[in-house]
Amino acid sequence: MRGVKPKAFSLMLIALVAAVIVAQPVVLAESGVGDEAGTSPRQGGGAEAVRVFINRIREGMEKILEIAEEYDIAIRGELQRRVELARKLLDNATQALEQGRPNEAIKLAVRASSIFRPVAEYVIRNAPRSVKEEIAVRSLTKALELRREAVEKLNRTIAWLESRGAEVPTHIKEILANASRLLAEAEVLIESKNLSRAARVLGRASRLIGVATTMLSSYIGSLWARLAVIEGAVRRIAFGTVLLLKILNRSAELVEKNSTEEALRLLEHGLRISRSLALFIQRSLHLPWIRNSSNATEVLEVLLQGVENASAEINRTTSALRE
């Protein structure tokens, strides 16, 4: 009996280890690619995104103030107070980011931008026509770049998911393709100085990007739910394999003590557990989201083979004891 135990469980234990190892990329693949799947910057790599966000607002403010100075557009009274407050808020945003509070940094930067807006509107309203057009072109070009970055980020997320076995719905990819076409059209319109139409086309592209982002987030959320089912299945199987190992160990001890009848009863209990586990795995393999995941299918098939081998070993040991 002692010589049989390692053989009976070797494949099961190897399969269990494989399940834990494979679970890591499955979790990553089915949870979304961190920041790439969302729209809010986070700490780590996201901290740099927040820094860029703050700097863009600061650069935009300084550019407006440069125009005001160049064309002698006076900023006094309430407008000057807004400039000072916006600058202070951006400094506070930078400090909050350095102290590890990116969410607060974003809120402060957005507030600074909102406070500075009347100043920008005043300067643009009083600037020469050529400057107004230059600002509009620059603003639309920046908006175009940001939306292209958003589309590229979403497409990278989709590619990452698909490289790990996920099947992202086709309509999400089609929406992003349409958004890309609209962005290309907007670029041509900006180059030809058809700015009002370019702004409308950019607005349509923005709405499509928003829809695609929402759909992809929802899809990733559903993958998390499916992963929870898979994780629960693996845990149940892991518990069952540990229990089977204990049963085989205990039955070996009983045989050594000549308690054959008790050993047989224990082995029969182990056989029922192994059959229940095998049936559970077989049913899990028929779930659509597991059939569509080569990783999950491979792990469960290895676990099933291990459980079936253990069941066969229990049968052989039981037959030998009864003889």
Short mmCIF file of all heavy atoms in Angstrom, two decimals, residues 73-133:
data_model
loop_
_atom_site.label_atom_id
_atom_site.label_comp_id
_atom_site.label_asym_id
_atom_site.label_seq_id
_atom_site.Cartn_x
_atom_site.Cartn_y
_atom_site.Cartn_z
N ILE A 73 -3.25 91.94 -23.81
CA ILE A 73 -4.60 91.69 -23.29
C ILE A 73 -4.49 91.67 -21.76
O ILE A 73 -3.92 90.74 -21.18
CB ILE A 73 -5.15 90.35 -23.81
CG1 ILE A 73 -5.19 90.36 -25.36
CG2 ILE A 73 -6.54 90.08 -23.25
CD1 ILE A 73 -5.54 89.03 -25.98
N ALA A 74 -4.99 92.70 -21.13
CA ALA A 74 -4.82 92.86 -19.69
C ALA A 74 -5.69 91.87 -18.91
O ALA A 74 -6.87 91.69 -19.21
CB ALA A 74 -5.17 94.28 -19.29
N ILE A 75 -5.10 91.25 -17.91
CA ILE A 75 -5.82 90.32 -17.03
C ILE A 75 -5.76 90.91 -15.62
O ILE A 75 -4.71 90.95 -14.99
CB ILE A 75 -5.18 88.92 -17.05
CG1 ILE A 75 -5.26 88.34 -18.47
CG2 ILE A 75 -5.87 87.99 -16.05
CD1 ILE A 75 -4.59 86.99 -18.62
N ARG A 76 -6.91 91.41 -15.17
CA ARG A 76 -6.94 92.10 -13.88
C ARG A 76 -8.10 91.58 -13.02
O ARG A 76 -8.94 90.81 -13.48
CB ARG A 76 -7.11 93.61 -14.08
CG ARG A 76 -6.04 94.29 -14.91
CD ARG A 76 -6.21 95.81 -14.86
NE ARG A 76 -5.23 96.50 -15.69
CZ ARG A 76 -5.42 96.82 -16.97
NH1 ARG A 76 -6.59 96.54 -17.54
NH2 ARG A 76 -4.48 97.45 -17.65
N GLY A 77 -8.11 92.06 -11.79
CA GLY A 77 -9.23 91.81 -10.90
C GLY A 77 -9.54 90.33 -10.69
O GLY A 77 -8.67 89.52 -10.36
N GLU A 78 -10.80 89.98 -10.92
CA GLU A 78 -11.27 88.61 -10.71
C GLU A 78 -10.52 87.61 -11.58
O GLU A 78 -10.20 86.50 -11.14
CB GLU A 78 -12.78 88.53 -10.99
CG GLU A 78 -13.37 87.12 -10.93
CD GLU A 78 -13.24 86.48 -9.55
OE1 GLU A 78 -13.04 87.21 -8.56
OE2 GLU A 78 -13.34 85.24 -9.48
N LEU A 79 -10.21 88.01 -12.82
CA LEU A 79 -9.49 87.10 -13.71
C LEU A 79 -8.09 86.82 -13.18
O LEU A 79 -7.61 85.68 -13.25
CB LEU A 79 -9.42 87.69 -15.13
CG LEU A 79 -10.76 87.81 -15.87
CD1 LEU A 79 -10.54 88.43 -17.26
CD2 LEU A 79 -11.42 86.44 -16.01
N GLN A 80 -7.42 87.85 -12.66
CA GLN A 80 -6.08 87.64 -12.10
C GLN A 80 -6.14 86.71 -10.90
O GLN A 80 -5.26 85.86 -10.71
CB GLN A 80 -5.46 88.98 -11.72
CG GLN A 80 -4.03 88.87 -11.17
CD GLN A 80 -3.07 88.23 -12.18
OE1 GLN A 80 -3.17 88.45 -13.39
NE2 GLN A 80 -2.15 87.42 -11.66
N ARG A 81 -7.18 86.88 -10.06
CA ARG A 81 -7.33 86.00 -8.90
C ARG A 81 -7.53 84.54 -9.35
O ARG A 81 -7.06 83.61 -8.71
CB ARG A 81 -8.50 86.47 -8.03
CG ARG A 81 -8.17 87.71 -7.19
CD ARG A 81 -9.24 87.97 -6.13
NE ARG A 81 -10.49 88.44 -6.75
CZ ARG A 81 -10.74 89.71 -7.04
NH1 ARG A 81 -9.83 90.64 -6.79
NH2 ARG A 81 -11.88 90.07 -7.58
N ARG A 82 -8.26 84.37 -10.45
CA ARG A 82 -8.46 83.03 -10.98
C ARG A 82 -7.14 82.41 -11.46
O ARG A 82 -6.89 81.22 -11.26
CB ARG A 82 -9.46 83.06 -12.14
CG ARG A 82 -10.91 83.21 -11.69
CD ARG A 82 -11.86 83.25 -12.87
NE ARG A 82 -13.25 83.26 -12.43
CZ ARG A 82 -13.98 82.17 -12.19
NH1 ARG A 82 -13.42 80.97 -12.38
NH2 ARG A 82 -15.22 82.25 -11.79
N VAL A 83 -6.30 83.22 -12.09
CA VAL A 83 -4.99 82.73 -12.55
C VAL A 83 -4.18 82.25 -11.35
O VAL A 83 -3.60 81.15 -11.37
CB VAL A 83 -4.22 83.84 -13.30
CG1 VAL A 83 -2.79 83.39 -13.58
CG2 VAL A 83 -4.93 84.18 -14.61
N GLU A 84 -4.13 83.06 -10.30
CA GLU A 84 -3.33 82.72 -9.12
C GLU A 84 -3.87 81.46 -8.43
O GLU A 84 -3.10 80.59 -8.00
CB GLU A 84 -3.32 83.90 -8.15
CG GLU A 84 -2.58 85.11 -8.70
CD GLU A 84 -2.77 86.36 -7.86
OE1 GLU A 84 -3.51 86.27 -6.85
OE2 GLU A 84 -2.20 87.41 -8.21
N LEU A 85 -5.21 81.37 -8.33
CA LEU A 85 -5.81 80.20 -7.68
C LEU A 85 -5.57 78.93 -8.50
O LEU A 85 -5.26 77.87 -7.94
CB LEU A 85 -7.31 80.43 -7.47
CG LEU A 85 -8.08 79.27 -6.82
CD1 LEU A 85 -7.47 78.89 -5.48
CD2 LEU A 85 -9.56 79.64 -6.65
N ALA A 86 -5.71 79.04 -9.82
CA ALA A 86 -5.49 77.87 -10.69
C ALA A 86 -4.06 77.37 -10.57
O ALA A 86 -3.81 76.16 -10.48
CB ALA A 86 -5.82 78.23 -12.13
N ARG A 87 -3.10 78.29 -10.55
CA ARG A 87 -1.69 77.89 -10.40
C ARG A 87 -1.46 77.20 -9.05
O ARG A 87 -0.75 76.20 -8.97
CB ARG A 87 -0.80 79.12 -10.53
CG ARG A 87 -0.58 79.57 -11.97
CD ARG A 87 0.20 80.86 -12.02
NE ARG A 87 0.68 81.15 -13.38
CZ ARG A 87 1.16 82.32 -13.77
NH1 ARG A 87 1.23 83.33 -12.90
NH2 ARG A 87 1.58 82.50 -15.01
N LYS A 88 -2.06 77.76 -8.00
CA LYS A 88 -1.89 77.17 -6.67
C LYS A 88 -2.49 75.76 -6.63
O LYS A 88 -1.89 74.83 -6.04
CB LYS A 88 -2.57 78.06 -5.62
CG LYS A 88 -2.38 77.55 -4.20
CD LYS A 88 -3.01 78.50 -3.19
CE LYS A 88 -2.80 77.97 -1.76
NZ LYS A 88 -3.40 78.89 -0.76
N LEU A 89 -3.65 75.60 -7.26
CA LEU A 89 -4.28 74.28 -7.28
C LEU A 89 -3.43 73.26 -8.04
O LEU A 89 -3.34 72.09 -7.63
CB LEU A 89 -5.67 74.37 -7.92
CG LEU A 89 -6.75 75.04 -7.06
CD1 LEU A 89 -8.01 75.30 -7.89
CD2 LEU A 89 -7.08 74.17 -5.84
N LEU A 90 -2.79 73.68 -9.12
CA LEU A 90 -1.92 72.78 -9.86
C LEU A 90 -0.68 72.40 -9.04
O LEU A 90 -0.22 71.26 -9.08
CB LEU A 90 -1.50 73.40 -11.19
CG LEU A 90 -2.59 73.45 -12.27
CD1 LEU A 90 -2.05 74.10 -13.53
CD2 LEU A 90 -3.10 72.05 -12.59
N ASP A 91 -0.15 73.36 -8.29
CA ASP A 91 0.97 73.05 -7.40
C ASP A 91 0.53 72.03 -6.34
O ASP A 91 1.27 71.09 -6.02
CB ASP A 91 1.48 74.32 -6.72
CG ASP A 91 2.21 75.25 -7.69
OD1 ASP A 91 2.63 74.77 -8.76
OD2 ASP A 91 2.33 76.46 -7.38
N ASN A 92 -0.67 72.24 -5.80
CA ASN A 92 -1.20 71.30 -4.80
C ASN A 92 -1.43 69.92 -5.42
O ASN A 92 -1.23 68.89 -4.76
CB ASN A 92 -2.52 71.82 -4.22
CG ASN A 92 -2.30 73.06 -3.36
OD1 ASN A 92 -1.19 73.35 -2.93
ND2 ASN A 92 -3.38 73.79 -3.10
N ALA A 93 -1.86 69.91 -6.70
CA ALA A 93 -2.09 68.63 -7.38
C ALA A 93 -0.77 67.87 -7.53
O ALA A 93 -0.70 66.66 -7.29
CB ALA A 93 -2.72 68.87 -8.75
N THR A 94 0.28 68.58 -7.91
CA THR A 94 1.60 67.95 -8.04
C THR A 94 2.07 67.41 -6.71
O THR A 94 2.60 66.28 -6.62
CB THR A 94 2.63 68.97 -8.58
OG1 THR A 94 2.19 69.43 -9.87
CG2 THR A 94 4.00 68.33 -8.71
N GLN A 95 1.86 68.17 -5.65
CA GLN A 95 2.26 67.73 -4.31
C GLN A 95 1.47 66.50 -3.88
O GLN A 95 2.03 65.55 -3.32
CB GLN A 95 2.05 68.87 -3.30
CG GLN A 95 2.54 68.54 -1.90
CD GLN A 95 2.38 69.71 -0.94
OE1 GLN A 95 1.74 70.70 -1.27
NE2 GLN A 95 2.94 69.60 0.25
N ALA A 96 0.16 66.50 -4.15
CA ALA A 96 -0.67 65.34 -3.79
C ALA A 96 -0.20 64.08 -4.52
O ALA A 96 -0.14 62.99 -3.95
CB ALA A 96 -2.13 65.63 -4.13
N LEU A 97 0.18 64.24 -5.80
CA LEU A 97 0.67 63.09 -6.57
C LEU A 97 1.97 62.56 -5.98
O LEU A 97 2.15 61.35 -5.84
CB LEU A 97 0.87 63.50 -8.03
CG LEU A 97 1.39 62.40 -8.96
CD1 LEU A 97 0.41 61.23 -9.02
CD2 LEU A 97 1.63 62.96 -10.36
N GLU A 98 2.87 63.47 -5.62
CA GLU A 98 4.16 63.05 -5.04
C GLU A 98 3.98 62.37 -3.69
O GLU A 98 4.80 61.55 -3.29
CB GLU A 98 5.08 64.28 -4.89
CG GLU A 98 5.55 64.83 -6.22
CD GLU A 98 6.29 66.15 -6.08
OE1 GLU A 98 6.28 66.71 -4.95
OE2 GLU A 98 6.89 66.60 -7.07
N GLN A 99 2.87 62.66 -3.01
CA GLN A 99 2.59 62.05 -1.72
C GLN A 99 1.74 60.79 -1.85
O GLN A 99 1.27 60.24 -0.85
CB GLN A 99 1.88 63.06 -0.81
CG GLN A 99 2.77 64.25 -0.43
CD GLN A 99 2.02 65.31 0.37
OE1 GLN A 99 0.79 65.27 0.48
NE2 GLN A 99 2.76 66.27 0.92
N GLY A 100 1.54 60.34 -3.10
CA GLY A 100 0.82 59.09 -3.31
C GLY A 100 -0.69 59.20 -3.27
O GLY A 100 -1.37 58.23 -2.93
N ARG A 101 -1.23 60.37 -3.63
CA ARG A 101 -2.68 60.57 -3.65
C ARG A 101 -3.14 60.99 -5.05
O ARG A 101 -3.53 62.14 -5.27
CB ARG A 101 -3.07 61.62 -2.61
CG ARG A 101 -2.82 61.17 -1.16
CD ARG A 101 -3.13 62.26 -0.14
NE ARG A 101 -2.06 63.25 -0.07
CZ ARG A 101 -2.24 64.55 -0.18
NH1 ARG A 101 -3.44 65.04 -0.42
NH2 ARG A 101 -1.22 65.38 -0.09
N PRO A 102 -3.06 60.07 -6.02
CA PRO A 102 -3.36 60.43 -7.41
C PRO A 102 -4.80 60.87 -7.64
O PRO A 102 -5.04 61.76 -8.46
CB PRO A 102 -3.04 59.14 -8.17
CG PRO A 102 -3.16 58.06 -7.16
CD PRO A 102 -2.70 58.65 -5.87
N ASN A 103 -5.75 60.26 -6.95
CA ASN A 103 -7.16 60.65 -7.14
C ASN A 103 -7.38 62.10 -6.74
O ASN A 103 -8.08 62.86 -7.42
CB ASN A 103 -8.08 59.72 -6.35
CG ASN A 103 -8.13 58.33 -6.93
OD1 ASN A 103 -7.83 58.14 -8.10
ND2 ASN A 103 -8.50 57.36 -6.12
N GLU A 104 -6.79 62.50 -5.60
CA GLU A 104 -6.91 63.90 -5.16
C GLU A 104 -6.20 64.83 -6.14
O GLU A 104 -6.68 65.94 -6.43
CB GLU A 104 -6.30 64.06 -3.77
CG GLU A 104 -6.45 65.46 -3.20
CD GLU A 104 -5.86 65.59 -1.81
OE1 GLU A 104 -5.62 64.55 -1.16
OE2 GLU A 104 -5.64 66.74 -1.37
N ALA A 105 -5.06 64.37 -6.69
CA ALA A 105 -4.31 65.18 -7.66
C ALA A 105 -5.17 65.45 -8.89
O ALA A 105 -5.19 66.57 -9.41
CB ALA A 105 -3.02 64.47 -8.05
N ILE A 106 -5.87 64.44 -9.36
CA ILE A 106 -6.73 64.61 -10.55
C ILE A 106 -7.84 65.62 -10.27
O ILE A 106 -8.13 66.51 -11.07
CB ILE A 106 -7.33 63.25 -10.96
CG1 ILE A 106 -6.24 62.31 -11.46
CG2 ILE A 106 -8.38 63.44 -12.06
CD1 ILE A 106 -6.70 60.89 -11.66
N LYS A 107 -8.47 65.49 -9.10
CA LYS A 107 -9.56 66.42 -8.75
C LYS A 107 -9.07 67.86 -8.68
O LYS A 107 -9.73 68.78 -9.15
CB LYS A 107 -10.16 66.00 -7.40
CG LYS A 107 -10.94 64.69 -7.45
CD LYS A 107 -11.45 64.31 -6.07
CE LYS A 107 -12.18 62.98 -6.11
NZ LYS A 107 -12.64 62.56 -4.76
N LEU A 108 -7.89 68.06 -8.10
CA LEU A 108 -7.33 69.41 -7.99
C LEU A 108 -7.01 69.98 -9.37
O LEU A 108 -7.24 71.16 -9.64
CB LEU A 108 -6.07 69.38 -7.12
CG LEU A 108 -6.31 69.16 -5.61
CD1 LEU A 108 -4.99 68.84 -4.91
CD2 LEU A 108 -6.98 70.37 -4.99
N ALA A 109 -6.46 69.15 -10.25
CA ALA A 109 -6.11 69.60 -11.59
C ALA A 109 -7.35 69.97 -12.39
O ALA A 109 -7.38 70.98 -13.10
CB ALA A 109 -5.30 68.52 -12.31
N VAL A 110 -8.40 69.15 -12.26
CA VAL A 110 -9.66 69.44 -12.97
C VAL A 110 -10.26 70.74 -12.44
O VAL A 110 -10.78 71.57 -13.21
CB VAL A 110 -10.64 68.26 -12.79
CG1 VAL A 110 -12.04 68.65 -13.30
CG2 VAL A 110 -10.14 67.03 -13.54
N ARG A 111 -10.19 70.93 -11.13
CA ARG A 111 -10.72 72.17 -10.55
C ARG A 111 -9.93 73.38 -11.05
O ARG A 111 -10.51 74.44 -11.36
CB ARG A 111 -10.64 72.10 -9.02
CG ARG A 111 -11.34 73.27 -8.34
CD ARG A 111 -11.24 73.17 -6.84
NE ARG A 111 -11.69 74.39 -6.19
CZ ARG A 111 -11.38 74.75 -4.97
NH1 ARG A 111 -10.60 73.97 -4.23
NH2 ARG A 111 -11.84 75.88 -4.45
N ALA A 112 -8.60 73.25 -11.15
CA ALA A 112 -7.77 74.34 -11.66
C ALA A 112 -8.18 74.71 -13.09
O ALA A 112 -8.28 75.89 -13.44
CB ALA A 112 -6.30 73.93 -11.62
N SER A 113 -8.40 73.68 -13.91
CA SER A 113 -8.80 73.91 -15.30
C SER A 113 -10.14 74.64 -15.37
O SER A 113 -10.32 75.56 -16.17
CB SER A 113 -8.89 72.57 -16.03
OG SER A 113 -9.34 72.75 -17.35
N SER A 114 -11.07 74.22 -14.51
CA SER A 114 -12.39 74.85 -14.49
C SER A 114 -12.32 76.31 -14.06
O SER A 114 -12.97 77.18 -14.63
CB SER A 114 -13.31 74.06 -13.55
OG SER A 114 -14.57 74.67 -13.46
N ILE A 115 -11.49 76.59 -13.06
CA ILE A 115 -11.34 77.96 -12.56
C ILE A 115 -10.68 78.86 -13.60
O ILE A 115 -11.02 80.04 -13.74
CB ILE A 115 -10.53 77.95 -11.24
CG1 ILE A 115 -11.41 77.40 -10.12
CG2 ILE A 115 -10.00 79.34 -10.90
CD1 ILE A 115 -10.69 77.17 -8.82
N PHE A 116 -9.75 78.30 -14.37
CA PHE A 116 -9.02 79.09 -15.36
C PHE A 116 -9.83 79.32 -16.64
O PHE A 116 -9.51 80.22 -17.42
CB PHE A 116 -7.70 78.39 -15.71
CG PHE A 116 -6.79 79.21 -16.57
CD1 PHE A 116 -6.01 80.23 -16.04
CD2 PHE A 116 -6.73 78.98 -17.95
CE1 PHE A 116 -5.18 81.00 -16.85
CE2 PHE A 116 -5.90 79.74 -18.77
CZ PHE A 116 -5.13 80.75 -18.21
N ARG A 117 -10.87 78.55 -16.86
CA ARG A 117 -11.61 78.61 -18.13
C ARG A 117 -12.08 80.02 -18.50
O ARG A 117 -11.89 80.45 -19.65
CB ARG A 117 -12.79 77.64 -18.10
CG ARG A 117 -13.53 77.51 -19.44
CD ARG A 117 -14.71 76.57 -19.32
NE ARG A 117 -14.27 75.27 -18.87
CZ ARG A 117 -13.76 74.33 -19.65
NH1 ARG A 117 -13.60 74.57 -20.93
NH2 ARG A 117 -13.41 73.17 -19.15
N PRO A 118 -12.69 80.78 -17.58
CA PRO A 118 -13.12 82.15 -17.96
C PRO A 118 -11.95 83.02 -18.42
O PRO A 118 -12.14 83.90 -19.27
CB PRO A 118 -13.74 82.68 -16.67
CG PRO A 118 -14.17 81.47 -15.91
CD PRO A 118 -13.12 80.44 -16.20
N VAL A 119 -10.76 82.80 -17.86
CA VAL A 119 -9.58 83.56 -18.28
C VAL A 119 -9.26 83.23 -19.73
O VAL A 119 -9.01 84.13 -20.56
CB VAL A 119 -8.37 83.24 -17.37
CG1 VAL A 119 -7.15 84.04 -17.83
CG2 VAL A 119 -8.69 83.54 -15.92
N ALA A 120 -9.26 81.93 -20.06
CA ALA A 120 -8.95 81.50 -21.42
C ALA A 120 -9.98 82.08 -22.40
O ALA A 120 -9.62 82.57 -23.48
CB ALA A 120 -8.93 79.98 -21.50
N GLU A 121 -11.25 82.03 -22.02
CA GLU A 121 -12.31 82.54 -22.90
C GLU A 121 -12.13 84.05 -23.14
O GLU A 121 -12.33 84.54 -24.26
CB GLU A 121 -13.67 82.24 -22.29
CG GLU A 121 -14.00 80.75 -22.29
CD GLU A 121 -15.27 80.44 -21.51
OE1 GLU A 121 -15.76 81.36 -20.80
OE2 GLU A 121 -15.76 79.30 -21.58
N TYR A 122 -11.77 84.76 -22.09
CA TYR A 122 -11.57 86.21 -22.21
C TYR A 122 -10.41 86.53 -23.15
O TYR A 122 -10.52 87.40 -24.02
CB TYR A 122 -11.31 86.79 -20.81
CG TYR A 122 -10.87 88.23 -20.82
CD1 TYR A 122 -11.78 89.26 -21.00
CD2 TYR A 122 -9.52 88.56 -20.64
CE1 TYR A 122 -11.37 90.59 -21.01
CE2 TYR A 122 -9.10 89.88 -20.65
CZ TYR A 122 -10.03 90.89 -20.84
OH TYR A 122 -9.63 92.21 -20.86
N VAL A 123 -9.29 85.80 -22.99
CA VAL A 123 -8.12 86.07 -23.83
C VAL A 123 -8.41 85.73 -25.28
O VAL A 123 -8.10 86.51 -26.19
CB VAL A 123 -6.90 85.26 -23.31
CG1 VAL A 123 -5.74 85.37 -24.30
CG2 VAL A 123 -6.49 85.75 -21.93
N ILE A 124 -9.03 84.59 -25.51
CA ILE A 124 -9.32 84.18 -26.90
C ILE A 124 -10.30 85.16 -27.54
O ILE A 124 -10.16 85.52 -28.72
CB ILE A 124 -9.88 82.75 -26.92
CG1 ILE A 124 -8.79 81.76 -26.50
CG2 ILE A 124 -10.40 82.39 -28.31
CD1 ILE A 124 -9.29 80.35 -26.26
N ARG A 125 -11.26 85.61 -26.78
CA ARG A 125 -12.26 86.55 -27.31
C ARG A 125 -11.60 87.86 -27.74
O ARG A 125 -12.05 88.50 -28.71
CB ARG A 125 -13.32 86.81 -26.24
CG ARG A 125 -14.51 87.63 -26.73
CD ARG A 125 -15.69 87.56 -25.78
NE ARG A 125 -15.34 88.01 -24.43
CZ ARG A 125 -15.27 87.23 -23.36
NH1 ARG A 125 -15.53 85.93 -23.48
NH2 ARG A 125 -14.96 87.73 -22.18
N ASN A 126 -10.55 88.28 -27.07
CA ASN A 126 -9.89 89.55 -27.36
C ASN A 126 -8.63 89.40 -28.22
O ASN A 126 -7.96 90.40 -28.50
CB ASN A 126 -9.54 90.26 -26.05
CG ASN A 126 -10.77 90.77 -25.33
OD1 ASN A 126 -11.30 91.83 -25.65
ND2 ASN A 126 -11.24 89.99 -24.36
N ALA A 127 -8.31 88.19 -28.61
CA ALA A 127 -7.11 87.96 -29.42
C ALA A 127 -7.42 88.22 -30.90
O ALA A 127 -8.59 88.17 -31.32
CB ALA A 127 -6.64 86.53 -29.25
N PRO A 128 -6.41 88.50 -31.74
CA PRO A 128 -6.62 88.69 -33.17
C PRO A 128 -7.20 87.42 -33.81
O PRO A 128 -7.02 86.31 -33.29
CB PRO A 128 -5.21 88.96 -33.71
CG PRO A 128 -4.45 89.46 -32.52
CD PRO A 128 -5.02 88.73 -31.34
N ARG A 129 -7.86 87.60 -34.93
CA ARG A 129 -8.52 86.48 -35.61
C ARG A 129 -7.53 85.37 -35.93
O ARG A 129 -7.84 84.18 -35.78
CB ARG A 129 -9.20 86.98 -36.89
CG ARG A 129 -9.93 85.90 -37.64
CD ARG A 129 -10.59 86.45 -38.91
NE ARG A 129 -11.27 85.39 -39.63
CZ ARG A 129 -12.50 84.97 -39.35
NH1 ARG A 129 -13.18 85.51 -38.34
NH2 ARG A 129 -13.06 84.00 -40.05
N SER A 130 -6.35 85.74 -36.40
CA SER A 130 -5.36 84.73 -36.77
C SER A 130 -4.95 83.88 -35.57
O SER A 130 -4.72 82.68 -35.68
CB SER A 130 -4.12 85.39 -37.38
OG SER A 130 -3.52 86.28 -36.44
N VAL A 131 -4.88 84.51 -34.41
CA VAL A 131 -4.51 83.80 -33.19
C VAL A 131 -5.63 82.85 -32.77
O VAL A 131 -5.39 81.71 -32.34
CB VAL A 131 -4.20 84.79 -32.05
CG1 VAL A 131 -3.95 84.05 -30.74
CG2 VAL A 131 -2.99 85.63 -32.43
N LYS A 132 -6.88 83.33 -32.92
CA LYS A 132 -8.02 82.48 -32.59
C LYS A 132 -8.00 81.21 -33.42
O LYS A 132 -8.24 80.10 -32.93
CB LYS A 132 -9.33 83.24 -32.81
CG LYS A 132 -9.56 84.38 -31.86
CD LYS A 132 -10.86 85.10 -32.21
CE LYS A 132 -11.08 86.30 -31.30
NZ LYS A 132 -12.31 87.05 -31.64
N GLU A 133 -7.71 81.36 -34.71
CA GLU A 133 -7.66 80.19 -35.59
C GLU A 133 -6.51 79.27 -35.21
O GLU A 133 -6.66 78.04 -35.20
CB GLU A 133 -7.52 80.63 -37.05
CG GLU A 133 -7.58 79.46 -38.02
CD GLU A 133 -7.59 79.93 -39.46
OE1 GLU A 133 -8.64 80.41 -39.92
OE2 GLU A 133 -6.53 79.80 -40.10
#
